[in-house]
Amino acid sequence: DVKVTQSSRYLVKRTGEKVFLECVQDMDHENMFWYRQDPGLGLRLIYFSYDVKMKEKGDIPEGYSVSREKKERFSLILESASTNQTSMYLCASSPPLSNQPQHFGDGTRLSIL
Amino acid sequence: GEDVEQSLFLSVREGDSSVINCTYTDSSSTYLYWYKQEPGAGLQLLTYIFSNMDMKQDQRLTVLLNKKDKHLSLRIADTQTGDSAIYFCAESPGTGANNLFFGTGTRLTVIP
């Protein structure tokens, strides 16, 4: 079974802090994704990556950056956290072929105070 | 961008059938997916259907696709309390990117 592991289930940070959310997958997937989930809005794509050191902006990249130094790890970075970034963050991975389903981690619920 | 819509809430009695509906706008969608999210967890892939099919059945789950109307539904037979969750519809566009576009999710509540 595909295992996507997010480093923290719950995280509380302060406004202005630099925040790192980590995601690791064990299936050698090329594609990795970061979403945020907010009530009534579903999942919105922040960034994705097709390969090591490659990244593409999703629908809502403002205020975020990402890092993919190794194939199995995809990090989401909040450069200067703000209260409107309080949300559930979900990481996913998938094989390189188009239309392959994405496999999700359990999510990180991030609160910015 | 692509637009995927679902109603936000659905309540059914235990033992009844549940039908969760989804509409999408991208006529070039190739695959359509149903994911389930239990409280405090990530999304679990339930089933998916290729756009040249109109029905797929998997145990208690039946997926119906009306490509002309861009309408997808998920029917859960004999709904159980363990089926209470949020159900997301997602579509994969026909372009080479492997992005998925998600609906808002439907919160299914099963009443004992």
Side-chain angles (χ1 to χ4, degrees):
Chain A
D1 269 357
V2 177
K3 184 71 174 172
V4 179
T5 303
Q6 293 183 232
S7 54
S8 304
R9 292 298 300 275
Y10 302 94
L11 207 53
V12 180
K13 296 291 182 180
R14 294 204 174 274
T15 303
E17 281 192 70
K18 190 169 186 176
V19 181
F20 292 84
L21 303 184
E22 305 288 347
C23 175
V24 176
Q25 50 95 3
D26 66 357
M27 283 301 292
D28 204 35
H29 285 166
E30 276 74 7
N31 299 330
M32 294 189 76
F33 306 84
W34 274 107
Y35 296 89
R36 64 177 282 175
Q37 180 183 6
D38 299 289
L41 296 178
L43 272 69
R44 292 180 291 168
L45 182 64
I46 305 171
Y47 266 97
F48 60 100
S49 169
Y50 288 136
D51 204 346
V52 176
K53 296 193 186 297
M54 295 186 69
K55 60 184 179 184
E56 297 283 344
K57 292 180 180 179
D59 298 320
I60 51 163
E62 295 79 18
Y64 303 93
S65 62
V66 290
S67 173
R68 186 108 182 258
E69 294 297 318
K70 293 185 177 182
K71 190 175 186 180
E72 67 269 19
R73 185 179 297 270
F74 193 35
S75 303
L76 179 70
I77 304 156
L78 286 65
E79 296 289 345
S80 177
S82 63
T83 54
N84 64 9
Q85 292 178 308
T86 291
S87 187
M88 169 73 98
Y89 289 87
L90 292 163
C91 174
S93 73
S94 73
L97 297 174
S98 61
N99 306 314
Q100 292 295 304
Q102 294 179 14
H103 301 269
F104 284 81
D106 284 337
T108 296
R109 187 166 293 280
L110 175 64
S111 297
I112 307 296
L113 304 179
Chain B
E2 286 76 1
D3 197 14
V4 181
E5 294 191 356
Q6 302 176 240
S7 54
L8 291 179
F9 302 100
L10 177 67
S11 293
V12 298
R13 293 207 172 273
E14 190 174 15
D16 288 351
S17 292
S18 309
V19 179
I20 302 170
N21 294 302
C22 171
T23 58
Y24 59 98
T25 56
D26 185 359
S27 58
S28 64
S29 294
T30 51
Y31 280 88
L32 295 121
Y33 302 86
W34 283 105
Y35 283 86
K36 176 184 181 182
Q37 184 182 35
E38 295 182 355
L43 274 66
Q44 169 196 355
L45 179 67
L46 276 182
T47 187
Y48 60 95
I49 188 167
F50 188 49
S51 59
N52 68 353
M53 300 169 64
D54 52 19
M55 188 182 91
K56 181 178 180 181
Q57 188 154 1
D58 184 2
Q59 299 182 343
R60 291 190 299 122
L61 305 179
T62 303
V63 178
L64 295 178
L65 175 61
N66 181 328
K67 198 172 182 185
K68 174 176 168 290
D69 294 338
K70 300 192 191 73
H71 183 267
L72 181 74
S73 68
L74 174 69
R75 179 177 178 269
I76 305 172
D78 187 25
T79 312
Q80 303 297 307
T81 54
D83 295 323
S84 291
I86 302 175
Y87 291 81
F88 288 93
C89 163
E91 63 101 4
S92 179
T95 60
N98 196 29
N99 299 350
L100 295 182
F101 293 92
F102 287 85
T104 55
T106 299
R107 183 180 293 276
L108 173 65
T109 301
V110 181
I111 304 163

